Protein backbone atom coordinates (compact mmCIF):
# COMPACT_ATOMS: atom_id res chain seq x y z
CA UNK A 1 0.00 0.00 0.00
CA UNK A 2 1.35 3.41 -0.93
CA UNK A 3 2.00 5.71 2.00
CA UNK A 4 -0.08 8.84 2.47
CA UNK A 5 1.43 12.14 1.43
CA UNK A 6 0.43 15.75 1.87
CA UNK A 7 -1.08 17.53 -1.11
CA UNK A 8 0.59 20.73 -2.34
CA UNK A 9 -2.69 22.57 -2.96
CA UNK A 10 -4.44 23.42 0.29
CA UNK A 11 -8.19 23.51 0.79
CA UNK A 12 -9.57 26.65 2.42
CA UNK A 13 -12.68 26.50 4.59
CA UNK A 14 -14.44 29.15 6.63
CA UNK A 15 -16.45 28.44 9.76
CA UNK A 16 -18.08 30.36 12.59
CA UNK A 17 -16.88 27.84 15.20
CA UNK A 18 -14.69 24.75 15.58
CA UNK A 19 -15.75 21.73 17.65
CA UNK A 20 -12.87 19.58 18.81
CA UNK A 21 -12.86 15.98 19.92
CA UNK A 22 -10.10 15.26 22.42
CA UNK A 23 -8.70 11.70 22.38
CA UNK A 24 -6.92 10.92 19.11
CA UNK A 25 -7.66 14.39 17.75
CA UNK A 26 -5.72 16.85 19.90
CA UNK A 27 -4.50 14.46 22.63
CA UNK A 28 -2.75 11.17 21.91
CA UNK A 29 -3.99 8.88 24.69
CA UNK A 30 -3.84 5.61 22.75
CA UNK A 31 -1.36 4.03 25.18
CA UNK A 32 -3.69 4.47 28.16
CA UNK A 33 -6.81 3.49 26.24
CA UNK A 34 -5.18 0.30 25.00
CA UNK A 35 -3.86 -0.64 28.46
CA UNK A 36 -7.23 -0.19 30.14
CA UNK A 37 -9.48 -1.63 27.45
CA UNK A 38 -7.33 -4.63 26.64
CA UNK A 39 -7.41 -5.57 30.33
CA UNK A 40 -11.20 -5.12 30.42
CA UNK A 41 -11.67 -7.20 27.26
CA UNK A 42 -9.56 -10.07 28.59
CA UNK A 43 -11.41 -10.01 31.92
CA UNK A 44 -14.68 -10.50 30.02
CA UNK A 45 -13.43 -13.24 27.70
CA UNK A 46 -13.21 -10.99 24.64
CA UNK A 47 -10.52 -10.70 21.99
CA UNK A 48 -8.64 -7.48 22.89
CA UNK A 49 -7.72 -6.86 19.25
CA UNK A 50 -11.37 -7.00 18.18
CA UNK A 51 -12.44 -4.86 21.14
CA UNK A 52 -10.02 -2.11 20.16
CA UNK A 53 -11.82 -1.72 16.84
CA UNK A 54 -14.85 -0.15 18.56
CA UNK A 55 -13.60 1.57 21.71
CA UNK A 56 -12.49 4.84 20.15
CA UNK A 57 -14.88 7.78 20.18
CA UNK A 58 -17.68 6.31 22.30
CA UNK A 59 -18.43 6.62 25.97
CA UNK A 60 -17.33 3.49 27.78
CA UNK A 61 -20.80 2.19 28.59
CA UNK A 62 -21.73 2.40 24.89
CA UNK A 63 -18.62 0.44 23.92
CA UNK A 64 -19.44 -2.20 26.50
CA UNK A 65 -22.99 -2.47 25.18
CA UNK A 66 -21.63 -3.14 21.68
CA UNK A 67 -19.18 -5.75 22.90
CA UNK A 68 -21.58 -7.47 25.33
CA UNK A 69 -25.03 -6.85 23.82
CA UNK A 70 -26.91 -9.12 26.24
CA UNK A 71 -25.39 -7.58 29.37
CA UNK A 72 -27.63 -5.42 31.62
CA UNK A 73 -26.90 -1.74 30.99
CA UNK A 74 -26.55 -0.99 34.70
CA UNK A 75 -23.47 -3.24 34.76
CA UNK A 76 -22.01 -1.29 31.84
CA UNK A 77 -22.52 2.00 33.66
CA UNK A 78 -20.92 0.57 36.81
CA UNK A 79 -17.92 -0.75 34.87
CA UNK A 80 -17.66 2.55 33.02
CA UNK A 81 -17.30 4.45 36.31
CA UNK A 82 -14.42 2.17 37.28
CA UNK A 83 -12.85 2.53 33.84
CA UNK A 84 -13.07 6.34 33.93
CA UNK A 85 -11.38 6.43 37.33
CA UNK A 86 -8.56 4.18 36.10
CA UNK A 87 -8.05 6.18 32.93
CA UNK A 88 -8.05 9.47 34.85
CA UNK A 89 -5.33 8.19 37.18
CA UNK A 90 -3.17 6.88 34.32
CA UNK A 91 -1.58 9.63 32.24
CA UNK A 92 1.60 7.74 31.29
CA UNK A 93 2.22 8.25 27.59
CA UNK A 94 -0.43 10.95 27.18
CA UNK A 95 0.91 13.65 24.86
CA UNK A 96 -0.37 16.20 22.37
CA UNK A 97 -1.09 15.11 18.82
CA UNK A 98 1.59 16.55 16.56
CA UNK A 99 0.77 20.17 15.82
CA UNK A 100 -1.85 20.43 18.57
CA UNK A 101 -0.03 23.02 20.75
CA UNK A 102 0.33 25.42 17.81
CA UNK A 103 -3.22 24.70 16.63
CA UNK A 104 -4.72 25.44 20.06
CA UNK A 105 -2.60 28.57 20.46
CA UNK A 106 -3.80 29.84 17.07
CA UNK A 107 -7.43 29.29 18.10
CA UNK A 108 -6.96 31.61 21.06
CA UNK A 109 -10.19 33.55 21.55
CA UNK A 110 -11.78 32.31 18.31
CA UNK A 111 -15.07 30.43 18.91
CA UNK A 112 -14.37 26.79 19.70
CA UNK A 113 -15.45 24.05 22.08
CA UNK A 114 -14.24 20.67 23.28
CA UNK A 115 -16.78 17.90 22.60
CA UNK A 116 -15.52 14.68 24.15
CA UNK A 117 -16.80 11.30 25.30
CA UNK A 118 -14.57 11.67 28.38
CA UNK A 119 -16.08 12.95 31.60
CA UNK A 120 -14.91 16.25 33.05
CA UNK A 121 -12.28 14.72 35.35
CA UNK A 122 -10.72 12.63 32.57
CA UNK A 123 -10.78 15.52 30.09
CA UNK A 124 -9.12 17.80 32.64
CA UNK A 125 -6.43 15.21 33.44
CA UNK A 126 -5.57 14.48 29.82
CA UNK A 127 -5.53 18.09 28.63
CA UNK A 128 -3.22 18.92 31.55
CA UNK A 129 -0.97 15.92 30.84
CA UNK A 130 -0.70 17.03 27.20
CA UNK A 131 -0.11 20.64 28.35
CA UNK A 132 -2.97 21.95 26.20
CA UNK A 133 -5.33 24.78 27.20
CA UNK A 134 -8.85 23.71 28.12
CA UNK A 135 -11.44 25.50 25.94
CA UNK A 136 -13.81 27.76 27.82
CA UNK A 137 -16.75 25.84 26.34
CA UNK A 138 -16.65 22.08 26.82
CA UNK A 139 -19.23 19.33 26.36
CA UNK A 140 -18.20 16.26 28.36
CA UNK A 141 -19.90 12.95 29.06
CA UNK A 142 -21.96 14.39 31.92
CA UNK A 143 -23.51 16.97 29.58
CA UNK A 144 -25.26 14.57 27.20
CA UNK A 145 -27.73 11.74 27.35
CA UNK A 146 -26.39 9.85 24.32
CA UNK A 147 -22.87 8.88 23.27
CA UNK A 148 -21.33 9.49 19.86
CA UNK A 149 -22.25 8.52 17.12
CA UNK A 150 -25.35 10.38 18.32
CA UNK A 151 -24.92 14.05 17.31
CA UNK A 152 -26.17 15.43 20.64
CA UNK A 153 -22.74 16.54 21.89
CA UNK A 154 -21.85 18.45 18.74
CA UNK A 155 -25.28 20.07 18.54
CA UNK A 156 -24.97 21.13 22.17
CA UNK A 157 -21.52 22.58 21.53
CA UNK A 158 -22.83 24.61 18.60
CA UNK A 159 -25.78 25.83 20.67
CA UNK A 160 -23.55 26.91 23.57
CA UNK A 161 -21.42 28.90 21.14
CA UNK A 162 -24.54 30.38 19.50
CA UNK A 163 -23.56 29.07 16.06
CA UNK A 164 -25.67 27.26 13.49
CA UNK A 165 -24.51 23.65 13.02
CA UNK A 166 -23.91 24.22 9.31
CA UNK A 167 -21.38 26.92 10.21
CA UNK A 168 -19.31 24.58 12.39
CA UNK A 169 -16.33 22.42 11.49
CA UNK A 170 -15.68 19.33 13.60
CA UNK A 171 -12.24 17.80 14.20
CA UNK A 172 -12.47 14.05 14.87
CA UNK A 173 -10.44 10.86 14.67
CA UNK A 174 -12.94 8.00 15.13
CA UNK A 175 -15.74 6.39 13.17
CA UNK A 176 -18.25 7.22 15.91
CA UNK A 177 -17.13 10.84 16.12
CA UNK A 178 -17.11 11.41 12.38
CA UNK A 179 -20.60 9.90 12.12
CA UNK A 180 -21.77 12.18 14.95
CA UNK A 181 -20.40 15.29 13.27
CA UNK A 182 -21.96 14.45 9.94
CA UNK A 183 -25.28 13.61 11.60
CA UNK A 184 -25.18 17.06 13.20
CA UNK A 185 -24.99 18.60 9.72
CA UNK A 186 -21.39 19.74 10.15
CA UNK A 187 -18.28 19.46 8.03
CA UNK A 188 -15.72 17.10 9.54
CA UNK A 189 -11.94 17.18 9.32
CA UNK A 190 -10.68 13.71 10.11
CA UNK A 191 -7.38 13.62 12.00
CA UNK A 192 -4.95 10.71 12.03
CA UNK A 193 -4.89 7.16 10.67
CA UNK A 194 -8.24 6.01 12.07
CA UNK A 195 -10.18 8.80 10.41
CA UNK A 196 -9.46 8.28 6.73
CA UNK A 197 -11.72 5.25 6.26
CA UNK A 198 -14.83 6.83 7.75
CA UNK A 199 -15.82 9.52 5.28
CA UNK A 200 -14.70 12.83 6.76
CA UNK A 201 -15.10 15.93 4.61
CA UNK A 202 -11.31 16.29 4.59
CA UNK A 203 -8.52 14.18 6.10
CA UNK A 204 -5.17 15.19 7.59
CA UNK A 205 -2.40 13.07 9.09
CA UNK A 206 -2.09 15.42 12.09
CA UNK A 207 -2.64 19.04 13.05
CA UNK A 208 0.57 20.31 11.47
CA UNK A 209 -1.46 20.24 8.25
CA UNK A 210 -4.02 22.80 9.48
CA UNK A 211 -3.62 26.55 9.80
CA UNK A 212 -6.17 28.62 11.72
CA UNK A 213 -6.63 32.38 11.43
CA UNK A 214 -9.39 34.96 11.81
CA UNK A 215 -11.07 35.80 8.51
CA UNK A 216 -11.83 39.42 7.60
CA UNK A 217 -15.51 38.42 7.41
CA UNK A 218 -15.48 37.64 11.13
CA UNK A 219 -15.34 33.89 10.53
CA UNK A 220 -12.50 31.43 11.12
CA UNK A 221 -10.30 30.67 8.12
CA UNK A 222 -8.92 27.13 7.92
CA UNK A 223 -6.16 26.28 5.49
CA UNK A 224 -6.00 22.50 5.25
CA UNK A 225 -3.28 20.48 3.52
CA UNK A 226 -5.20 17.27 2.99
CA UNK A 227 -3.59 13.86 2.91
CA UNK A 228 -3.86 11.83 -0.27
CA UNK A 229 -3.17 8.16 -0.97
Amino acid sequence: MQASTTSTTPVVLTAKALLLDMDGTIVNSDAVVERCWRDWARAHGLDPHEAMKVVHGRQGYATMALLLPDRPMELNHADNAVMLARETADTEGVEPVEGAPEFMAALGALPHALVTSADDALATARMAAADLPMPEVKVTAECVGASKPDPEGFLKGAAELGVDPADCVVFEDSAAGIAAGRAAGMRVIGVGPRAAAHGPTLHVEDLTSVRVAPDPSGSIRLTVHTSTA
Side-chain angles (χ1 to χ4, degrees):
M1 180 180 294
Q2 188 177 8
S4 292
T5 59
T6 301
S7 66
T8 55
T9 304
V11 177
V12 176
L13 301 177
T14 58
K16 296 289 181 64
L18 305 185
L19 303 179
L20 315 175
D21 173 54
M22 182 179 68
D23 293 304
T25 301
I26 57 175
V27 172
N28 182 352
S29 56
D30 281 3
V32 181
V33 172
E34 292 218 2
R35 278 195 295 273
C36 294
W37 280 96
R38 285 181 182 277
D39 285 351
W40 184 89
R42 282 189 287 264
H44 291 83
L46 301 171
D47 180 345
H49 178 73
E50 292 301 312
M52 291 308 303
K53 293 179 181 179
V54 298
V55 302
H56 296 288
R58 294 178 173 84
Q59 291 191 43
Y61 74 86
T63 296
M64 293 169 187
L66 279 177
L67 294 170
L68 297 172
D70 298 325
R71 191 181 195 223
M73 188 57 78
E74 59 266 27
L75 294 181
N76 295 334
H77 282 287
D79 264 14
N80 188 41
V82 174
M83 180 70 75
L84 285 169
R86 179 180 174 186
E87 289 189 84
T88 301
D90 184 357
T91 56
E92 185 179 352
V94 173
E95 59 187 10
V97 166
E98 192 170 356
E102 297 81 3
F103 175 79
M104 296 298 289
L107 271 180
L110 296 172
H112 67 286
L114 189 74
V115 181
T116 175
S117 294
D119 66 1
D120 186 71
L122 180 56
T124 299
R126 285 189 176 160
M127 291 291 281
D131 197 23
L132 295 175
M134 178 66 79
E136 183 177 338
V137 176
K138 55 182 174 178
V139 180
T140 57
E142 303 96 328
C143 302
V144 296
S147 171
K148 300 171 186 176
D150 191 283
E152 181 185 357
F154 287 123
L155 292 172
K156 186 162 187 175
E160 292 197 18
L161 292 168
V163 176
D164 188 274
D167 291 325
C168 295
V169 170
V170 166
F171 283 75
E172 264 287 358
D173 73 301
S174 69
I178 291 168
R182 294 184 74 92
M186 301 173 182
R187 293 161 290 170
V188 181
I189 295 179
V191 180
R194 282 190 289 269
H198 302 296
T201 310
L202 298 173
H203 176 252
V204 296
E205 290 300 322
D206 56 46
L207 293 172
T208 62
S209 298
V210 182
R211 294 289 180 270
V212 179
D215 188 79
S217 69
S219 298
I220 301 169
R221 181 182 178 90
L222 295 167
T223 304
V224 184
H225 292 267
T226 60
S227 41
T228 56

